[in-house]
Amino acid sequence: MAQRAQPIIGKTGIIAGGFVLAVVLLAFLGIGLRADVGRGLGPAEWAAIRFTLLQSALSALISVACAIPLARALARRRFIGRGVLITLLGAPFILPVIVAVLGLLTVFGRSGWANVALEAVGLPSISIYGLHGVVLAHVFFNLPLATRLLLQGWQSIPAERFRLAAQLDLPPKMIQRTLELPLLLQIAPGATALIFVICLTSFAVALTLGGGPRATTIELAIYQAFRFDFDLSRAALLSFIQLGLAGGAALVALWIIPNIPVSAGLDRELRRWDARGGFQRLHDSAVITLGSAFLLLPLFAIVLAGLQGLPQMPTGVWRTAGNSLGVALLSIAVLLIIALPMAGWIASRRAGGAEAIGLIGLSASPLMIGTGWFILINPIADPVPLALPVTALINALMALPFALRILVPPMRDVLSTYDRISRSLGLAGWSAWRWLVLPRLRAQIGFTAGLTGALSVGDLGVIALFADPDRATLPLQMYRLMGAYRTEAAAGAALLLLAMALGLFWICDKGGRWRAEA
Amino acid sequence: MRRTLLATTLLLATQAGADTPVLTVYAGDYFTSEWGPGPMIETGFEEICGCDLQFATGDLLPRLLLEGERTKADVVIGLTSDVTAKARETGLFAPHGQDNSALTLPIEWTDDTFLPFNYGHTAFIYNETTMDAPPASFADLLDMPDDVKIVIQDPRTSISGLALVLWVQAVYGEEAGDVWSKLAPKILTVTKDWSASYGMFTDGEVDMVLSYTTSPAYHMFAEEDFTKKAAIFPEGHYFMVETVGKIAQTDQPELADAFMAYVLSNDFQRMIPTANWSLPSALPADQWPEGWAQLPLPEKVLFYSEDEAAALKDQAVETWRNALSQ
């Protein structure tokens, strides 16, 4: 009877994964039903594919490379306001694109703060427009995500390890090799793949900061095919290519992730005896200061502009804020129902390739999924009342890969550490979730819920395709204000959006860590 | 008084419930926000029609194309002239039934399906306090020093961006490619939509922005800011129009006809300037709201018919893309 034992959890995860696949594939089917044979791909589309690959790869690599020192510095320092700083550093990730771009331009633009400062000391000015601008913006968006993913990893190293290392008087180099490197190998490839996929679907940022049509991405071509040429077959073809690139990246990254069992500690407070030296202290302070300046200054610019605009905000904005909150809460619920079983399923498998399923919701353009489902629903029912639930579902799918990236590694640890004792106690299925997994993953679940809520609040989503006047969300209302010359009121709405997203994130994140070790 | 009337109408509308006929009007997304023209149009029309006007907003043409015969729209308002060809192809629209001679557009309008309700022209907007020597012609614009920076919209994703490409085509024809090459160093960047461009302009990131001849009116009349100006070029400006169309298989044909007539009424036309920040399609300039007739407007107006535009569009966009990708 050498049969491999059944995993203690995992069956429902297959259903959840199947559901995600079905949502995306049925959307493609919907498009396929209506697509005529359009023109194929021309040189412009191929140029878009090349540029998309280049900027995504650069953005992903640089984001993760910058995140490593920042996460390490944050992991080994304790200072007043650290918790608040970490929450604030997460903000760029959830900002609506147009808000973030204007914030970045206030700092790095032609007449931005950086150039004013450079001019004051007699240095030549910098231009943000070009490939480097695209990468800079994408690092701004994604450095927070990479930092948080790595920080979670660092905090998952049991405190006993560092205590032991200190007792053995290991030099910092050795600690890096024995404790930190395995961790990086486990987290960095997945984080890089994830950011690569996020950047694949970027388009307004890439175009604006790329300085023109040189910076055309696949997503722009999809948008053009849908909205301007109404060439559904070309849109579907481009979406498939985008999906393929994302899937390829995900498979490469996730299959090479080594499965490193980390034995559990006693959840003591983390103390780093190895990092007490003056040089390291100075180095960490410099990294934290630089990273914070880069991430917080544009945020500060958004807050400044928003404060001026708040009094001019029409009252209707508040109603749309209510809609957005509803969508966000629904997204969180949907996400947790899908992500937890999927994470359990993936974590109990040896290879991580299944996590790629999680990425398809993000890499298939939301416009594409929304349109596909509109076509499917329309003959049966009126799609308009379903606009908000569908938006919530699509937002949840977009957040799924982040959720999996956050949940799978600790889930893997819990399952491998407690596998034997669970079996001998007969703990499986729901009771394994209830007594073993959920309590130990509280912090990560809170983080995931917060991230999903915040992303959902900030995302324009598919609502723009078929919103009716009463179902507008806050980002849509903000775009409407901008479209009606009310730039200042729109800045106010952007500030409200930022506050809501951060608030939601903070409450969920804090709730998850409440009375637990941070 | 007006407010009580509105409240009573709303009350009656809810009480009357199923007995009141409903006219469903599809409109562009911006239309129905509290500062857009939608609410005023709804109140105005319901006062005379004994009906309930309901707006449905969203992405107009894609939604219509997706819905096809199943569309619930009776009337569609907000289709721009660059999409009317596609809209016409659907066969969903009926003749508008109004007299085109009532129109006061700067061009002749003969289309009997799509009825214009407002118009404007493409133009570059500048701030006169920061720009000493604004260009006096398109040729001037091309000869400006390269450190003068402008922002434009992408013709592949934005209607105003497409209008600019057609504008250049209409003025320069075969030389469009060279014109774009000359303009390229001055184009700081290209944005997905008008909003992002205009935000960059009001934030002071660029000297000039591609927008409309009517943009200064917003600053003048809503903000009392008289520093934003449209540069008027003798070569002419490209004409942009928004139209309204009637769905052929509407179950409310009389109401739909009444709405089409309402669009040309003085009440409707007088709302357009300040509610939509554009020019009314059927109102002589001497009846525009105070101050509007003084708005500098081009003498020469350029426009491609739907078919001409469709024939030129792809090549013009490709010329633009090639020149700016160098």
Side-chain angles (χ1 to χ4, degrees):
Chain A
M1 290 294 277
Q3 190 185 343
R4 189 174 141 73
Q6 284 291 311
I8 55 172
I9 54 172
K11 269 172 287 180
T12 42
I14 301 176
I15 302 172
F19 172 74
V20 173
L21 267 181
V23 168
V24 177
L25 293 182
L26 282 174
F28 269 97
L29 179 76
I31 304 266
L33 288 176
R34 292 293 299 273
D36 309 316
V37 179
R39 73 177 173 87
L41 302 185
E45 279 89 6
W46 285 112
I49 293 171
R50 281 195 304 273
F51 177 77
T52 306
L53 277 174
L54 175 68
Q55 63 85 3
S56 305
L58 283 176
S59 302
L61 290 173
I62 295 175
S63 295
V64 174
C66 294
I68 292 172
L70 184 57
R72 186 172 54 198
L74 285 169
R76 59 189 193 186
R77 296 294 154 206
R78 292 288 177 276
F79 50 89
I80 299 167
R82 177 177 174 272
V84 176
L85 180 70
I86 291 178
T87 302
L88 278 180
L89 290 185
F93 184 62
I94 52 188
L95 281 178
V97 163
I98 195 166
V99 178
V101 168
L102 290 179
L104 280 171
L105 290 182
T106 310
V107 178
F108 297 103
R110 269 205 326 144
S111 45
W113 299 344
N115 275 331
V116 171
L118 286 172
E119 200 183 4
V121 294
L123 288 171
S125 63
I126 48 163
S127 165
I128 194 180
Y129 302 95
L131 178 62
H132 61 281
V134 179
V135 173
L136 179 100
H138 285 159
V139 172
F140 173 73
F141 280 117
N142 297 306
L143 178 61
L145 176 74
T147 307
R148 280 304 292 258
L149 288 174
L150 288 167
L151 190 57
Q152 288 250 328
W154 245 290
Q155 285 171 343
S156 73
I157 301 179
E160 287 81 358
R161 299 267 175 114
F162 287 107
R163 180 190 287 260
L164 185 65
Q167 278 169 350
L168 295 173
D169 207 14
L170 290 184
K173 273 252 156 53
M174 280 300 284
I175 291 187
Q176 276 175 18
R177 270 231 327 256
T178 53
L179 291 180
E180 296 179 333
L181 191 65
L183 173 99
L184 283 178
L185 284 178
Q186 197 173 14
I187 296 180
T192 312
L194 191 53
I195 294 171
F196 175 83
V197 173
I198 301 171
C199 298
L200 272 187
T201 58
S202 155
F203 110 70
V205 172
L207 182 72
T208 305
L209 294 177
R214 265 179 312 251
T216 298
T217 56
I218 303 174
E219 185 78 11
L220 186 142
I222 295 176
Y223 183 92
Q224 181 192 7
F226 262 125
R227 296 274 305 265
F228 256 58
D229 304 340
F230 207 73
D231 184 343
L232 288 180
S233 68
R234 186 153 48 98
L237 179 61
L238 287 163
S239 297
F240 257 123
I241 292 175
Q242 190 164 298
L243 212 60
L245 292 175
L251 288 180
V252 168
L254 296 172
W255 247 305
I256 57 169
I257 295 179
N259 188 2
I260 299 161
V262 180
S263 56
L266 298 169
D267 294 352
R268 294 174 199 278
E269 197 194 335
L270 193 67
R271 284 186 62 189
R272 295 291 300 266
W273 287 271
D274 59 303
R276 282 176 300 180
F279 169 74
Q280 282 159 320
R281 198 178 290 261
L282 204 66
H283 175 260
D284 285 352
S285 309
V287 167
I288 293 175
T289 310
L290 265 178
S292 306
F294 172 59
L295 294 175
L296 296 184
L297 278 177
L299 223 54
F300 182 61
I302 292 163
V303 173
L304 269 188
L307 286 177
Q308 289 164 4
L310 273 185
Q312 300 179 37
M313 225 164 58
T315 48
V317 171
W318 296 101
R319 196 186 61 238
T320 60
N323 283 343
S324 282
L325 188 63
V327 169
L329 294 177
L330 194 58
S331 291
I332 294 176
V334 173
L335 175 95
L336 290 179
I337 292 172
I338 300 175
L340 282 169
M342 267 191 84
W345 171 50
I346 295 166
S348 46
R349 289 161 50 94
R350 212 171 289 167
E355 206 182 315
I357 295 175
L359 274 167
I360 71 168
L362 181 69
S363 46
S365 128
L367 192 63
M368 155 93 209
I369 303 183
T371 307
W373 276 95
F374 186 93
I375 294 171
L376 291 176
I377 295 172
N378 192 39
I380 308 161
D382 182 5
V384 175
L386 296 171
L388 290 181
V390 168
T391 305
L393 171 66
I394 293 181
N395 286 347
L397 287 188
M398 308 253 291
L400 182 61
F402 311 115
L404 294 179
R405 216 54 308 266
I406 294 160
L407 293 171
V408 168
M411 188 93 84
R412 215 181 270 280
D413 292 343
V414 170
L415 292 184
S416 67
T417 312
Y418 295 92
D419 187 66
R420 272 183 232 162
I421 188 155
S422 306
R423 279 178 206 288
S424 62
L425 290 172
L427 197 64
W430 169 240
S431 38
W433 280 105
R434 172 72 185 83
W435 298 106
L436 174 67
V437 181
L438 295 183
R440 300 200 69 83
L441 256 64
R442 245 177 49 183
Q444 284 83 2
I445 292 171
F447 177 33
T448 306
L451 194 62
T452 309
L455 272 177
S456 182
V457 166
D459 189 58
L460 181 60
V462 293
I463 195 90
L465 187 66
F466 50 105
D468 76 7
D470 301 326
R471 291 189 179 80
T473 56
L474 184 53
L476 182 61
Q477 194 75 348
M478 195 200 79
Y479 277 84
R480 284 175 175 172
L481 282 166
M482 285 204 79
Y485 292 101
R486 306 191 174 216
T487 325
E488 288 179 10
L495 178 60
L496 176 63
L497 208 153
L498 179 66
M500 265 177 71
L502 271 182
L504 207 55
F505 177 77
W506 188 80
I507 289 170
C508 295
D509 195 34
K510 201 78 183 167
R513 284 184 291 149
W514 190 57
R515 285 191 178 171
E517 294 296 321
Chain B
M1 181 60 205
R2 200 178 163 82
R3 186 157 291 187
T4 24
L5 194 67
L6 173 65
T8 327
T9 329
L10 284 175
L11 204 63
L12 285 176
T14 29
Q15 279 170 350
D19 301 336
T20 319
V22 174
L23 182 75
T24 306
V25 178
Y26 279 14
D29 187 53
Y30 70 93
F31 214 75
T32 55
S33 53
E34 55 199 276
W35 54 84
M40 278 197 261
I41 292 170
E42 185 173 344
T43 316
F45 188 62
E46 283 177 353
E47 269 171 25
I48 56 168
C49 72
C51 70
D52 179 14
L53 190 163
Q54 290 183 3
F55 282 113
T57 49
D59 227 345
L60 276 187
L61 186 64
R63 183 166 173 185
L64 273 179
L65 289 167
L66 290 175
E67 290 180 338
E69 301 271 298
R70 284 182 50 95
T71 185
K72 282 200 287 294
D74 300 308
V75 168
V76 180
I77 191 163
L79 292 168
T80 48
S81 48
D82 64 301
V83 297
T84 48
K86 271 238 154 61
R88 200 184 306 275
E89 271 173 35
T90 62
L92 290 174
F93 288 89
H96 60 60
Q98 302 300 313
D99 185 0
N100 277 335
S101 67
L103 296 172
T104 52
L105 302 176
I107 60 160
E108 196 195 357
W109 192 265
T110 52
D111 189 341
D112 62 2
T113 302
F114 296 102
L115 183 69
F117 71 95
N118 73 34
Y119 74 96
H121 328 74
T122 49
F124 288 97
I125 307 294
Y126 63 93
N127 183 336
E128 66 174 3
T129 55
T130 49
M131 204 161 177
D132 305 330
S137 65
F138 217 120
D140 254 12
L141 178 72
L142 301 182
D143 291 336
M144 300 242 284
D146 285 350
D147 61 355
V148 172
K149 294 294 178 191
I150 62 178
V151 61
I152 62 172
Q153 295 101 58
D154 194 316
R156 299 167 299 174
T157 57
S158 147
I159 288 157
S160 43
L162 181 62
L164 170 66
V165 167
L166 293 175
W167 185 12
V168 170
Q169 184 70 33
V171 175
Y172 292 100
E174 295 281 296
E175 295 161 42
D178 299 336
V179 168
W180 283 117
S181 301
K182 265 185 143 170
L183 216 45
K186 299 181 238 316
I187 296 172
L188 182 66
T189 192
V190 176
T191 65
K192 173 199 159 198
D193 51 26
W194 174 88
S195 308
S197 284
Y198 213 79
M200 286 178 74
F201 170 66
T202 49
D203 282 356
E205 179 70 8
V206 288
D207 302 300
M208 298 183 98
V209 58
L210 171 71
S211 186
Y212 310 106
T213 46
T214 46
S215 298
Y218 175 80
H219 299 287
M220 286 158 69
F221 302 123
E223 299 181 328
E224 297 190 355
D225 167 6
F226 297 90
T227 59
K228 313 287 197 305
K229 299 270 156 98
I232 303 294
F233 297 160
E235 291 95 333
H237 287 248
Y238 198 78
F239 177 76
M240 296 186 74
V241 65
E242 280 188 299
T243 69
V244 50
K246 177 184 150 190
I247 296 292
Q249 48 170 2
T250 166
D251 53 1
Q252 298 290 349
E254 282 96 29
L255 278 181
D257 285 335
F259 187 81
M260 302 304 272
Y262 175 65
V263 166
L264 292 186
S265 73
N266 261 8
D267 279 355
F268 181 102
Q269 293 287 323
R270 275 178 206 282
M271 285 182 227
I272 286 299
T274 47
N276 209 44
W277 303 109
S278 57
L279 301 169
S281 62
L283 196 69
D286 56 14
Q287 293 178 44
W288 290 356
E290 206 189 323
W292 276 74
Q294 279 79 55
L295 205 63
L297 295 175
E299 300 213 336
K300 187 172 173 190
V301 176
L302 307 165
F303 186 58
Y304 285 120
S305 73
E306 196 176 284
D307 297 332
E308 289 169 319
L312 285 168
K313 190 183 106 177
D314 287 350
Q315 187 52 50
V317 171
E318 193 53 25
T319 306
W320 169 86
R321 198 186 67 80
N322 275 331
L324 263 61
S325 297
Q326 297 306 312

